[in-house]
Amino acid sequence: STVPDDSVVLYSYWLSSSSWRVRIALHLKNVSYKYAPVNLKKDEQKASDYASKLNGMKQVPILLIDGMTLTQSVAIVEYLEESRRSSGHRLLPEQPQKRALVRIITEMLNSGIQPLQSVGMMKRVVALRKEYEAMNADEAMK
């Protein structure tokens, strides 16, 4: 195992599928990094230090690398592929047609499936359910 590179830092939540994508890509590209946990269930991503200094969208993952602050897992994975072409495994095929297919599948996961299981979405669904139940209780009292 390689020693973590303190200049590469991944802010991540262990249960986040977006963070998983980035961790997998970092390992496939043989990039060592320091892991900085952000507990989404405790809303640590909403802390002022995190939000103002790292990501105003209050999301994970965030990758500090090459003097940049990168957000959004797909952009991070593509940056790793483009900036470290000769390191580790290829993340995208060479042929444009095959790259397009990979991106189609990635977008299906990224925008179609992943948002439904995110912590933020689950909290919103619970809140909507409570609002709905309160509205029904008010109607029943009339």
Side-chain angles (χ1 to χ4, degrees):
S1 172
T2 59
V3 175
D5 181 347
D6 286 339
S7 68
V8 178
V9 181
L10 175 63
Y11 289 84
S12 176
Y13 179 58
W14 71 277
L15 209 61
S16 160
S17 61
S18 297
S19 294
W20 270 99
R21 277 189 281 258
V22 173
R23 287 194 303 272
I24 291 167
L26 286 164
H27 287 288
L28 288 173
K29 296 307 277 181
N30 296 327
V31 176
S32 61
Y33 61 95
K34 178 182 172 193
Y35 182 79
V38 179
N39 191 325
L40 300 182
K41 289 193 175 184
K42 293 181 179 177
D43 288 332
E44 290 177 357
Q45 78 281 11
K46 295 179 182 176
S48 61
D49 283 353
Y50 184 86
S52 65
K53 292 179 185 172
L54 295 171
N55 188 342
M57 293 184 69
K58 302 173 185 168
Q59 298 174 337
V60 294
I62 295 173
L63 185 66
L64 305 181
I65 190 169
D66 299 336
M68 299 183 350
T69 300
L70 300 175
T71 64
Q72 305 303 321
S73 63
V74 175
I76 294 169
V77 169
E78 288 190 1
Y79 177 80
L80 291 171
E81 173 65 7
E82 293 166 5
S83 67
R84 286 151 175 82
R85 235 178 235 291
S86 61
S87 178
H89 299 279
R90 292 295 312 264
L91 303 178
L92 291 169
E94 278 294 325
Q95 302 83 359
Q97 298 86 351
K98 290 182 179 179
R99 287 172 86 93
L101 289 175
V102 168
R103 288 182 169 127
I104 289 168
I105 293 167
T106 300
E107 191 56 30
M108 289 169 60
L109 293 171
N110 195 37
S111 65
I113 297 170
Q114 189 272 329
L116 299 177
Q117 54 84 41
S118 72
V119 172
M121 180 59 76
M122 287 189 275
K123 286 181 178 181
R124 183 69 185 130
V125 168
V126 168
L128 286 172
R129 178 66 188 192
K130 287 179 182 176
E131 288 175 27
Y132 176 77
E133 288 172 351
M135 188 173 59
N136 283 342
D138 289 345
E139 288 294 317
M141 296 179 117
K142 291 182 181 179

